[in-house]
């Protein structure tokens, strides 16, 4: 029997973790993701007994690398960019996590995101630890050739730090399949052998997986389909509002529409649309792809005609009287300031961190069920795992095989999370952290604990 089992309430673990983390977080801002994530962890630690050694280990990122990347710009000048790669914990397997290109990227942010990935991979039982990377850059200001030189320069700088059995990058904010292809190619040049499994999220022709592009939305769809029946909530009686009509939000809206849900509102950064009768999502996707804007339309062939709809703001969308609310845009959308306005019965977090921890208690008080990001959006990293497996085997799966395996895993971990929530009488978010922490604690303790070494027998 390992030491990390679901057990009676113990506040000492939570106190220990929070006081330790507070020390290391002192310089971080109030809105630091790590600070917010750690609040959820403190909650979870009240519901399991974890060895002090494991808690101490999880307090420190395993390795943090900061690199300078010199790039020859198109005009002949030299510009040096800051890049980062953090492996938070690799007890359960090589590090796994995306690479973000954004002007606000800092080491602190990358460490926080790597910490989050550690729990997501453990929750989904993927044989990976948590990692993340980033470059402080506004990619929109670079030409395509500059972007390629920057991406290859990043790999030159971190090549000793990544690898198929060490740490495997993937796309994140403002990075895509093309960039992953460059990174894999550069790593292969350095190692003088084709190393497809070093990066996931690659183009299909360079060893990417079927279904990777739709994986986050498809995984979220499986979580929704597995949980709403527990409340006798049937698709045709369920109204849905989706904030964010990008890769994750728009594909999920279409999956829900096709399954018979009534998607009444969607939005993007410019605002939203609402029709109580329900929107024709495939037509809206088609129109958005051709016009870059969201309108309630009905499209036949290439002709789209506008149908009656109400234009709403993103704040209004979050406050709609719907059954299901899906934040699929940015972090910190529901906070202590607007949580009281939310009228949905269920929230599924497709975005990372869309609900600030300060809003948790308000939503719980209102009886709203929140299904957390580390479970709901984990389809992306799960199919990244499938891509890594396919690269290593040299045996590629069909879209149907990928989606079937994704369904099995998402449903199994959703059920386990749900039963922990029921057994301990806790919310689903805390249960998800308990579930992930149990697996992490078991792995950390398998290397030996204070009790093991102090016990003479
Ligand atoms: P995306 O860039 O494709 O889409 C983001 C969408 O949000 C766009 O439609 C944009 O217009 C909209 N948006 C931006 N600001 C908004 C605002 N203030 N209000 C409403 N909408 C706004 O990004 P994505 O890949 O769909 O990711 C969305 C979220 O899901 C992010 O939080 C991301 O971290 C998370 N996520 C995505 C994946 C994935 O595989 N795509 C995996 C895990 C988590």
């Amino acid at each position: 029997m390992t030491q990390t089992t679901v057990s009676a309430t113990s506040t000492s673990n939570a106190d220990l973790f929070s006081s330790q983390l507070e020390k290391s977080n002192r310089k971080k801002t109030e809105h630091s993701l790590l600070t917010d994530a750690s609040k959820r962890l403190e909650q979870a630690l009240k519901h399991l007994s974890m060895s002090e050694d494991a808690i101490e280990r999880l307090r420190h990122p395993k390795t943090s690398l900061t690199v300078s990347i010199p790039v020859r710009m198109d005009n002949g000048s030299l510009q040096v960019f800051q890049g980062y790669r953090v492996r938070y914990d690799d007890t359960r397997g090589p590090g796994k996590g995306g690479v973000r290109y954004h002007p606000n990227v800092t080491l602190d942010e990358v460490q926080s995101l790597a910490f989050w990935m550690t729990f997501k991979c453990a929750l989904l039982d993927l044989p990976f630890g948590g990692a993340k990377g980033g470059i402080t850059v506004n990619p929109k200001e670079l030409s395509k050739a500059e972007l390629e030189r920057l991406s290859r320069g990043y790999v030159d700088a971190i090549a000793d730090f990544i690898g198929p059995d060490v740490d495997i990058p993937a796309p994140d904010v403002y990075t895509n399949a093309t960039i992953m292809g460059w990174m894999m190619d550069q790593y292969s040049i350095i190692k003088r052998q084709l190393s497809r499994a070093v990066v996931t999220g690659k183009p299909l022709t360079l060893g990417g997986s079927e279904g990777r592009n739709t994986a986050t939305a498809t995984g979220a769809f499986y979580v929704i389909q597995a949980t709403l029946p527990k409340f006798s909530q049937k698709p045709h009686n369920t109204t849905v509002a989706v904030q964010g009509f990008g890769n994750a939000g728009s594909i999920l809206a279409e999956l829900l529409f096709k399954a018979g849900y009534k998607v009444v509102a969607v939005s993007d950064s410019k605002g939203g649309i609402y029709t109580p009768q329900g929107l024709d999502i495939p037509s809206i996707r088609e129109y958005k792809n051709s016009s870059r804007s969201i309108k309630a339309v009905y499209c036949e062939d290439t002709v789209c005609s506008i149908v009656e709809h109400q234009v709403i703001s993103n704040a209004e969308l979050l406050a709609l009287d719907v059954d299901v609310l899906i934040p699929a845009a940015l972090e910190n959308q529901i906070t202590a300031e607007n949580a009281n306005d939310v009228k949905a019965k269920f929230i599924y977090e497709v975005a990372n961190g869309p609900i600030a921890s300060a809003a948790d208690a308000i939503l719980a008080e209102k009886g709203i069920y929140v299904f957390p990001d580390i479970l709901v959006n984990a389809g992306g990293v799960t199919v990244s795992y499938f891509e890594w497996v396919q690269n290593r085997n040299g045996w590629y799966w069909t879209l149907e095989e990928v989606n079937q395996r994704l369904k099995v895993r998402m449903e199994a971990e959703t059920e386990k999370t749900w039963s922990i929530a029921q057994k301990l009488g806790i919310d689903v978010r805390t249960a998800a952290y308990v579930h992930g922490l149990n697996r992490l604690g078991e792995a950390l303790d398998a290397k030996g604990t204070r009790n093991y070494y102090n016990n003479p027998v």
Side-chain angles (χ1 to χ4, degrees), residues 100 113 120 132 171-174 212-217 242-250 267-271 288 294 314-315 327-331 333 349-354 373 376-381:
R100 177 171 291 199
L113 293 165
K120 199 182 288 189
K132 205 82 183 186
D172 191 65
V173 175
Y174 292 143
R212 176 62 185 85
N213 193 38
T214 52
T216 302
V242 181
Q243 184 201 36
F245 206 64
N247 173 285
S250 72
S267 67
D268 65 9
S269 56
K270 296 183 206 120
K288 165 114 184 172
I294 286 188
N314 267 296
L330 305 169
E331 62 271 8
Q333 293 302 292
E349 292 185 319
V350 168
N352 279 314
D373 46 10
V376 177
N377 72 25
V381 68

Side-chain angles (χ1 to χ4, degrees), residues 79-101:
Q79 210 171 314
V80 179
F81 296 88
Q82 287 295 295
Y84 308 95
R85 186 76 194 170
V86 173
R87 205 174 324 139
Y88 200 94
D89 184 83
D90 58 4
T91 313
R92 300 190 74 257
K96 189 86 193 80
V99 181
R100 177 171 291 199
Y101 287 2

